[in-house]
């Protein structure tokens, strides 16, 4: 039964990061301060429902994040320094020097001059 519960929580976690257009995901993201367009390494630690607390548990969220991959496409949504778009960890953890505060939320597209069209598995 514990494995089934874990699987359900991971499914809910995946829904949060992959289906930002669903109403319940928008409500959760708004209520708990999560940007649904990005894949954070940790969720905001806010009091909430039992479901939210279970999804936020370290083991559930990390298992979801570690199994996830995303399309960077043109880089307009992937934050260069704090999203895990290139490696298992945010690039800010690998920086040799402190990153200026005004660059922390810069996107990948701000660091490249190449424009790509993105074709996902759904053909879009």
């Amino acid at each position: 039964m514990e494995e089934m519960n874990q699987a359900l929580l991971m499914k809910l976690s995946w829904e949060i990061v992959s289906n930002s257009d669903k109403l319940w995901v928008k409500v959760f993201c708004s209520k708990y301060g999560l940007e649904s367009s990005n894949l954070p390494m940790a969720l905001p630690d806010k009091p909430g429902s039992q479901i939210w607390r279970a999804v936020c548990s370290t083991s559930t969220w990390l298992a979801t994040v570690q199994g996830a991959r995303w399309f960077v496409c043109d880089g307009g949504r992937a934050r260069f320094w704090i999203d895990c778009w290139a490696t298992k960890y945010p690039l800010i953890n690998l920086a040799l020097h402190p990153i200026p505060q005004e660059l922390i939320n810069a996107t990948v597209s701000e660091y490249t001059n190449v424009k790509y069209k993105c074709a996902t598995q759904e053909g879009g």
Side-chain angles (χ1 to χ4, degrees):
M1 184 62 94
E2 189 171 325
E3 288 89 9
M4 293 292 288
N5 286 341
Q6 186 70 14
L8 175 62
L9 290 171
M10 289 177 68
K11 183 177 180 179
L12 290 173
S13 299
W14 181 247
E15 290 287 315
I16 289 171
V17 297
S18 65
N19 291 306
S20 60
D21 58 328
K22 290 188 176 182
L23 179 59
W24 78 267
V25 173
K26 289 178 182 180
V27 170
F28 262 52
C29 292
S30 175
K31 182 173 182 176
Y32 299 114
L34 176 67
E35 282 187 54
S36 62
S37 62
N38 297 304
L39 185 63
M41 285 303 289
L43 294 176
D45 186 21
K46 293 186 175 185
S49 68
Q50 287 183 337
I51 293 174
W52 179 251
R53 288 193 310 266
V55 165
C56 289
S57 74
T58 304
S59 61
T60 300
W61 189 252
L62 284 180
T64 303
V65 171
Q66 288 173 353
R69 299 292 178 266
W70 65 350
F71 291 98
V72 174
C73 298
D74 67 356
R77 288 179 30 183
R79 293 172 296 179
F80 188 87
W81 293 108
I82 56 179
D83 289 334
C84 299
W85 64 275
T87 67
K88 190 175 180 180
Y89 304 101
L91 291 178
I92 197 167
N93 294 356
L94 305 173
L96 299 176
H97 302 286
I99 307 304
Q101 191 62 38
E102 64 272 10
L103 297 178
I104 293 292
N105 287 310
T107 62
V108 173
S109 65
E110 294 176 59
Y111 285 92
T112 64
N113 60 2
V114 179
K115 298 295 179 196
Y116 293 99
K117 285 193 171 194
C118 185
T120 64
Q121 291 176 337
E122 298 159 354

